Amino acid sequence: MTHSDILDSDMACSDLADSNTTAAQSPTGSSAANFAKRFFSYDHNDGSFVLKYVQPGLVGLIDGTVSTLAPVFASAIFSGPHAAFIVGMATALGAGVSMGWSEALSDNGEKTGRGSSIVRGAITGAATTIGGTFHTLPFLIPNLHLSLLVAFIVVAIELVVIAWVRNKFLHVPMKNSLLVVTLGGLIVLAIGVALGAS
């Protein structure tokens, strides 16, 4: 075997090793498959899963759904559907950023074991925005009475979803959860209606 052949063989082995390393590091490789397998095999009743994923999402969903009711309905009654849509989307997006930032900065997860602060912040922020967006979308309807009716229905569905999540993952009785969540929503909604009609 000549010196050139030896060099070619060494280079081929090096290329093969680099290729295997790249495949192992690739997000579409076995590491991504293992992550997906671990994620979907979580026991949803496990406290770790609840702390890392469910609780951040639930906090965001509750805040986004409840806190945006007052400004959205106040602006709808006071200025009409278009104003309500603009105010609602601004509130939902702003609250999403604020809540996500707050969740990420308030706990790095090292002492509490709640996982990555970035992941929790992203979950909370997204859930907050979603919670504030759905009951804002009906105000794209130009008719005020119709948009209010559809928005009320959407809010009721949102509150039921929140109660269901609390029931499934936190094991809070559905009846009790519905009562508490609805009470909070009604208080904030009443504030918005009162201010909008003033």
Side-chain angles (χ1 to χ4, degrees), residues 51-130:
L51 284 175
K52 292 179 180 179
Y53 302 104
V54 177
Q55 191 268 343
L58 187 58
V59 167
L61 190 61
I62 293 173
D63 183 81
T65 299
V66 176
S67 68
T68 57
L69 290 176
V72 169
F73 282 87
S75 57
I77 295 172
F78 189 78
S79 300
H82 181 69
F85 177 75
I86 298 299
V87 169
M89 289 308 302
T91 305
L93 293 170
V97 173
S98 175
M99 287 292 292
W101 224 259
S102 299
E103 176 64 34
L105 295 179
S106 64
D107 179 12
N108 61 15
E110 292 180 0
K111 293 185 177 181
T112 59
R114 297 180 64 224
S116 168
S117 60
I118 296 176
V119 172
R120 286 185 289 101
I123 292 173
T124 300
T128 302
T129 300
I130 291 171

Side-chain angles (χ1 to χ4, degrees), residues 175-195:
K175 181 179 179 181
N176 294 352
S177 188
L178 273 174
L179 181 62
V180 173
V181 171
T182 302
L183 178 61
L186 287 176
I187 291 173
V188 178
L189 183 62
I191 293 172
V193 172
L195 290 174

Side-chain angles (χ1 to χ4, degrees), residues 32-44 49 53:
N34 290 336
F35 172 80
K37 183 178 180 180
R38 289 198 306 269
F39 180 82
F40 288 109
S41 65
Y42 269 127
D43 178 5
H44 288 195
F49 181 85
Y53 302 104

Side-chain angles (χ1 to χ4, degrees), residues 115-190:
S116 168
S117 60
I118 296 176
V119 172
R120 286 185 289 101
I123 292 173
T124 300
T128 302
T129 300
I130 291 171
T133 297
F134 278 114
H135 57 254
T136 297
L137 294 178
F139 293 102
L140 287 170
I141 302 172
N143 183 282
L144 177 60
H145 295 293
L146 181 58
S147 61
L148 283 172
L149 176 61
V150 176
F152 277 124
I153 295 173
V154 173
V155 169
I157 295 173
E158 290 173 337
L159 296 178
V160 170
V161 169
I162 292 172
W164 177 82
V165 172
R166 295 183 76 238
N167 172 259
K168 179 174 178 61
F169 293 101
L170 304 182
H171 308 297
V172 178
M174 192 69 177
K175 181 179 179 181
N176 294 352
S177 188
L178 273 174
L179 181 62
V180 173
V181 171
T182 302
L183 178 61
L186 287 176
I187 291 173
V188 178
L189 183 62

